């Protein structure tokens, strides 16, 4: 199993009672609560942690992107990715992922990712996402065309990477007289493409048809199995071979020297699960953003089969395998269970959140690298 | 039980069956609904049907009528409705539209002035106010939209019929589809169109603009802008009334419209 380190690059530097005054921490929480000087310190701290992960033997470093939210300062992951491309040597750089529908010029994105692949000497894994509704609204991209734009931008980018230029593109949402960028990826035919999933069957099936790795993001175990099953069915229909490498699982994880310390630090994930996901449906899934089927699954995720993430306490989050915390032995046992249940080939180690200190973060990375990772290598 | 004096029909336009309510006798009057699904035959339809043959079509993609992929803007839908007029055999008609229906009616009248007898725009979308904003209904909940749509919900005589019960699954599905289509058509620019102010002077038919003085969705300023852009038009403002005069004050609304059409 391959392991990738991840943090959302959070900015939890405002008084919580101020955040509570607003309908959501996303989209409309005023950016006057953001201090660029504090952000400077945080960015460099998080970059140090990423670099330490490479020292500790992580296979990859995962970045993501959100807009208008203190939960994620990374508003353009390719910038941070370019720093890692220069400052690391071996780790894969997992972009999971660029928000395709909000790009009016996806050709520029194809160029940026190709440049990253060149700079990193072929270490890019290029994830593509639809973004939350907040990304649609903050970029004012029509949510009713989100999936169409996602698919067309993807088709254009892959063609740009794989077809010698120049060629012409006359699509529905994108039009180019001359597609002929000089930056093309080092990896052939193109960098691996990954897709995260939270509830949409369409996304699992689309990823399956293309043979892309599908990473479950904080879905309950039974639903994760269901979505992986939909993936397998869709892959079988187009005769795509499916191995464990087609599946990944994102897990909030803290490793400590003793159980008490692990439990104390694990509580930092609660802010991510609850407070930063609070807000009206109109922010997270504006009309037209989701299909009816996906809405039904999302509703199940929020209600009947498991409590909404934001309403689960830390014990429930651990019982449901959204958070795993403990000594290396405890963590290994739980990871073994997850591996047996899901048989995924990739694990995203979501290792830092909220106000977890640099020191605490570094210790968990170290313990995971030295005492958990060696066993995972054999799985 | 007496037979209702209105009926539901459909007519094929652009390859789809367009659903519409119709009733009454007299000169034809086409009534274009706003951003929600067609509400059905209500008091204001009935009041107008006393003197006119009322046609109340359901917009494509708003629940009762299938959507059309090529209808991506209000201007596209205006062309669709000009085709609809051909299909139902109306060479010339009174045209009344509320909310996006008003925007549609204005667009139809700029594209094809000769098909319009009299034009009535009711709290219409389509123009960008200079000193205020059109309320962004895509970022608030349906309950908030409802609350903002009326000056006083207790004076809406058909409130119970319209909103008193939880919607049936079919009605909820129609509402969801309508909202999705509305987003498709009006997301950006939000509820207005750059070209419309330039085209409105083409309208030379008698035009009445009706507005609720307390409209919290489409500010009265938009009514003023329509009035100033359409030569010879008149603005009738209803006091103690919000965004939906035809629902909040159906009799007063019908009276204003009928007296204009006389």
């Amino acid at each position: 199993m391959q392991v990738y380190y991840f943090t959302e690059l959070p900015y939890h530097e405002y008084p919580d009672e101020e955040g509570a005054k607003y309908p959501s921490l996303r989209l409309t929480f005023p950016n006057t609560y953001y201090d660029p000087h504090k952000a400077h310190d945080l960015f460099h701290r998080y970059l140090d942690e990423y670099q330490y992960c490479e020292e500790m033997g992580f296979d990859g470093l995962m970045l993501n992107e959100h807009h208008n939210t203190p939960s994620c300062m990374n508003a353009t992951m390719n910038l941070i990715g370019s720093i890692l491309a220069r400052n690391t040597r071996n780790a894969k750089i997992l972009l999971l992922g660029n928000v395709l529908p909000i790009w009016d010029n996806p050709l520029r994105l194809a160029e940026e990712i190709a440049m990253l692949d060149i700079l990193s000497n072929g270490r890019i894994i290029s994830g593509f996402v639809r973004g939350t509704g907040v990304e649609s609204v903050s970029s004012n991209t029509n949510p009713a065309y989100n999936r169409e734009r996602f698919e067309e931008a993807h088709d254009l980018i892959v063609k740009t990477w794989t077809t010698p230029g120049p060629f012409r593109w006359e699509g529905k949402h994108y039009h180019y007289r001359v597609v002929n960028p000089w930056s093309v990826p080092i990896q052939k035919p193109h960098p691996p493409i990954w897709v995260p999933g939270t509830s949409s069957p369409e996304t699992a099936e689309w990823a399956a048809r293309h043979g892309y790795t599908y990473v479950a993001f904080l879905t309950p175990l039974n639903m994760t199995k269901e979505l992986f099953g939909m993936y397998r069915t869709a892959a079988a229909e187009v005769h795509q071979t499916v191995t464990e490498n087609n599946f990944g699982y994102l897990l909030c994880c803290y490793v400590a020297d003793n159980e008490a310390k692990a439990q104390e630090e694990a509580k930092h994930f609660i802010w991510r699960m609850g407070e930063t996901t609070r807000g009206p449906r109109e922010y997270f899934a504006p009309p037209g953003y989701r299909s009816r089927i996906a809405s039904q699954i999302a509703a199940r995720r929020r209600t009947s089969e498991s409590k909404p993430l934001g309403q689960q306490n830390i014990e429930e989050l651990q019982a449901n395998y959204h958070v795993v915390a403990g000594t290396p032995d405890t963590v290994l046992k739980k990871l073994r269970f997850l591996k047996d249940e899901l048989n995924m080939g990739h694990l995203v180690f979501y290792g830092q959140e909220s106000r977890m200190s640099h020191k605490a973060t570094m210790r968990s990375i170290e313990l995971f690298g030295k005492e958990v990772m060696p066993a995972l290598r054999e799985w | 039980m007496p037979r209702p004096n209105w009926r539901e029909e459909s007519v094929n336009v652009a390859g789809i069956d367009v659903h519409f309510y119709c009733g009454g006798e007299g000169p034809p009057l086409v009534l274009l609904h706003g951003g929600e699904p067609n509400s059905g035959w209500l008091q204001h339809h009935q009041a107008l049907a006393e003197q006119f043959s009322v046609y109340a079509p359901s917009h494509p993609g708003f629940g009762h009528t299938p959507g059309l992929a090529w209808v991506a803007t209000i201007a596209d839908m205006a062309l669709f409705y000009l085709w609809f007029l051909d299909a139902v055999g109306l060479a010339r008609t009174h045209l009344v539209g509320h909310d996006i229906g008003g925007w549609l009616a204005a667009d139809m009248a700029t594209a094809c002035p000769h098909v319009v007898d009299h034009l009535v725009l009711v709290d219409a979308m389509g123009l960008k106010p200079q000193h205020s904003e059109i309320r962004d209904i895509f970022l608030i909940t349906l309950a908030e939209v409802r609350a903002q749509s009326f000056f006083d919900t207790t004076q809406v005589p058909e409130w119970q019929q319209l909103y008193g019960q939880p919607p049936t699954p079919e009605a909820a599905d129609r509402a969801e589809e309508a909202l999705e289509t509305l987003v498709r058509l009006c997301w950006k620019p939000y509820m207005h169109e750059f070209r419309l102010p330039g085209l409105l002077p083409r309208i030379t038919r008698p035009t009445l603009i009706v507005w609720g003085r307390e409209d919290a969705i489409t500010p009265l300023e938009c009514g003023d802008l329509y009035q100033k852009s359409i030569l010879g038009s008149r603005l009738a403002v209803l006091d103690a009334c919000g965004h939906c005069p035809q629902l909040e004050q159906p009799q007063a609304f019908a009276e204003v419209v009928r007296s204009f059409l006389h």
Side-chain angles (χ1 to χ4, degrees):
Chain A
M1 194 158 65
Q2 307 253 307
V3 185
Y4 307 77
Y5 176 79
F6 173 54
T7 166
E8 280 211 287
L9 281 62
Y11 180 92
H12 194 173
E13 299 290 329
Y14 60 89
D16 286 321
E17 59 274 21
E18 290 299 308
K21 291 178 185 170
Y22 294 87
S24 178
L25 289 180
R26 304 212 184 204
L27 191 63
T28 49
F29 181 46
N31 61 5
T32 46
Y33 290 102
Y34 183 71
D35 177 350
H37 298 287
K38 282 184 185 165
H40 168 91
D41 294 341
L42 283 171
F43 270 124
H44 285 275
R45 173 204 146 173
Y46 294 143
L47 282 165
D48 289 344
E49 289 161 9
Y50 272 115
Q51 284 182 240
Y52 186 57
C53 287
E54 185 177 54
E55 279 179 47
M56 287 298 109
F58 282 69
D59 301 285
L61 309 171
M62 174 181 145
L63 301 169
N64 76 335
E65 170 173 325
H66 284 287
H67 299 265
N68 298 32
T69 172
S71 66
C72 177
M73 298 195 300
N74 205 359
T76 162
M77 78 183 74
N78 300 338
L79 277 184
I80 301 295
S82 70
I83 297 170
L84 295 177
R86 170 72 185 173
N87 287 0
T88 62
R89 285 290 172 271
N90 300 309
K92 296 277 184 191
I93 298 166
L94 169 55
L95 310 168
L96 199 55
N98 274 291
V99 188
L100 296 187
I102 67 175
W103 286 71
D104 284 332
N105 180 6
L107 191 53
R108 161 86 184 214
L109 181 57
E111 288 177 303
E112 285 187 11
I113 299 169
M115 280 180 65
L116 284 169
D117 203 49
I118 296 163
L119 284 165
S120 67
N121 199 17
R123 289 186 285 133
I124 295 299
I125 298 172
S126 178
F128 292 138
V129 307
R130 296 173 58 213
T132 72
V134 173
E135 276 62 61
S136 282
V137 180
S138 65
S139 61
N140 211 16
T141 312
N142 194 325
Y145 292 119
N146 182 283
R147 187 167 291 280
E148 282 184 15
R149 286 171 65 96
F150 175 85
E151 294 190 5
E152 190 183 331
H154 160 272
D155 294 349
L156 168 61
I157 289 168
V158 170
K159 184 170 181 183
T160 302
W161 286 343
T162 54
T163 304
F167 64 85
R168 191 177 186 108
W169 184 273
E170 294 291 338
K172 179 175 177 185
H173 296 284
Y174 304 110
H175 312 85
Y176 294 92
R177 283 185 164 70
V178 181
V179 179
N180 189 31
W182 275 67
S183 290
V184 291
I186 280 189
Q187 296 181 84
K188 300 297 177 194
H190 57 75
I193 293 173
W194 287 20
V195 179
T198 55
S199 62
S200 294
E202 295 96 329
T203 301
E205 289 159 1
W206 181 86
R209 286 195 294 275
H210 288 88
Y212 297 156
T213 295
Y214 177 79
V215 185
F217 270 22
L218 299 173
T219 40
L221 274 186
N222 57 346
M223 195 175 293
T224 305
K225 284 190 204 170
E226 200 176 321
L227 288 162
F228 284 6
M230 289 174 185
Y231 182 104
R232 287 178 197 282
T233 305
E237 282 165 9
V238 294
H239 310 294
Q240 281 277 1
T241 307
V242 176
T243 71
E244 61 185 28
N245 280 326
N246 292 69
F247 299 110
Y249 187 78
L250 177 141
L251 180 71
C252 301
C253 191
Y254 191 85
V255 193
D257 297 285
N258 59 66
E259 300 293 344
K261 174 68 173 170
Q263 290 305 317
E264 180 192 327
E265 295 295 340
K267 288 179 185 155
H268 287 294
F269 291 109
I270 291 176
W271 178 70
R272 161 64 180 78
M273 303 295 180
E275 191 56 11
T276 73
T277 59
R278 178 175 60 82
R281 176 206 130 150
E282 286 69 21
Y283 287 17
F284 287 91
Y289 171 78
R290 275 201 193 113
S291 71
R292 311 289 165 77
I293 293 172
S295 295
Q296 286 160 9
I297 292 204
R300 272 173 50 198
R301 186 179 176 210
R302 288 194 301 271
T303 54
S304 59
E305 290 164 31
S306 73
K307 273 180 159 173
L309 286 174
Q311 289 173 23
Q312 295 182 28
N313 61 33
I314 191 64
E315 288 76 23
E316 289 166 318
L317 286 168
Q318 291 180 86
N320 293 326
Y321 286 87
H322 296 306
V323 175
V324 161
T327 61
D329 280 349
T330 307
V331 168
L332 257 177
K333 279 189 199 120
K334 293 193 172 181
L335 289 180
R336 184 69 247 179
F337 171 79
L338 277 173
K339 172 71 181 171
D340 291 342
E341 283 288 298
L342 300 171
N343 196 29
M344 67 290 190
H346 307 277
L347 178 76
V348 176
F349 174 97
Y350 187 165
Q352 191 279 331
E353 247 313 342
S354 184
R355 295 177 180 138
M356 189 186 290
S357 72
H358 177 59
K359 188 179 168 196
T361 304
M362 295 290 273
R363 182 61 181 154
S364 175
I365 291 169
E366 182 183 12
L367 285 170
F368 192 89
K370 288 180 175 168
E371 300 190 30
V372 179
M373 198 96 75
L376 299 192
R377 290 269 170 262
E378 309 302 318
W379 295 358
Chain B
M1 202 171 148
R3 281 163 61 98
N5 60 353
W6 54 272
R7 58 196 187 280
E8 288 181 76
E9 291 194 14
S10 72
V11 62
N12 195 275
V13 180
I16 59 168
D17 287 330
V18 184
H19 167 270
F20 62 100
Y21 298 94
C22 58
E25 284 185 16
L29 183 155
V30 173
L31 185 58
L32 297 172
H33 67 85
E36 293 192 5
N38 198 340
S39 60
W41 194 264
L42 298 172
Q43 285 186 18
H44 67 279
H45 297 87
Q46 188 60 36
L48 292 170
E50 287 169 14
Q51 293 172 15
F52 301 98
S53 296
V54 174
Y55 297 78
S58 303
H59 302 334
F62 282 69
H64 295 87
T65 300
L68 284 167
W70 61 264
V71 174
T73 64
I74 290 292
D76 297 335
M77 200 187 279
L79 293 176
F80 170 87
Y81 268 121
L82 289 167
W83 194 346
F84 168 83
L85 297 186
D86 295 342
V88 289
L90 298 179
R92 194 175 173 94
T93 179
H94 298 313
L95 200 51
V96 182
H98 167 247
D99 183 271
I100 63 159
W103 180 2
L104 275 168
D107 219 28
M108 291 166 72
T110 63
C112 227
H114 60 273
V115 304
V116 181
D117 191 330
H118 285 53
L119 178 67
V120 181
L121 309 178
V122 187
D123 297 78
M125 298 294 188
L127 295 179
K128 184 171 79 118
Q130 304 300 312
H131 308 293
S132 50
E133 286 185 358
I134 298 173
R135 178 84 196 203
D136 195 341
I137 61 166
F138 296 145
L139 291 187
I140 57 178
T141 63
L142 188 60
E144 288 171 304
V145 174
R146 289 266 151 77
Q148 296 285 328
S149 294
F150 300 96
F151 172 67
D152 177 3
T153 58
T154 64
Q155 66 175 348
V156 178
E158 291 154 313
W159 181 269
Q160 195 59 27
Q161 176 187 341
L162 289 168
Y163 311 118
Q165 315 293 333
T168 61
E170 295 75 28
D173 212 39
R174 283 197 295 272
E176 184 80 13
E177 190 189 337
L179 190 54
E180 186 175 326
T181 305
L182 193 64
V183 164
R184 199 172 286 271
L185 299 173
C186 306
W187 180 266
K188 183 172 72 176
Y190 177 63
M191 293 293 178
H192 66 87
E193 189 179 20
F194 177 71
R195 66 175 204 169
L196 192 57
L199 287 171
L200 285 177
R202 193 178 180 204
I203 300 175
T204 51
R205 300 301 306 159
T207 300
L208 174 71
I209 295 140
V210 181
W211 226 268
R213 187 178 298 284
E214 311 295 339
D215 189 335
I217 303 275
T218 319
L220 182 55
E221 185 194 345
C222 295
D224 283 327
L225 286 172
Y226 267 114
Q227 194 276 321
K228 286 182 182 129
S229 302
I230 301 173
L231 194 68
S233 65
R234 186 165 68 81
L235 174 64
V237 180
L238 299 181
D239 289 327
C241 185
H243 180 65
C244 306
Q246 80 284 11
L247 300 179
E248 193 157 0
Q249 299 182 11
Q251 299 307 327
F253 166 78
E255 190 47 45
V256 167
V257 174
R258 281 190 310 215
S259 59
F260 166 67
L261 297 179
H262 258 275

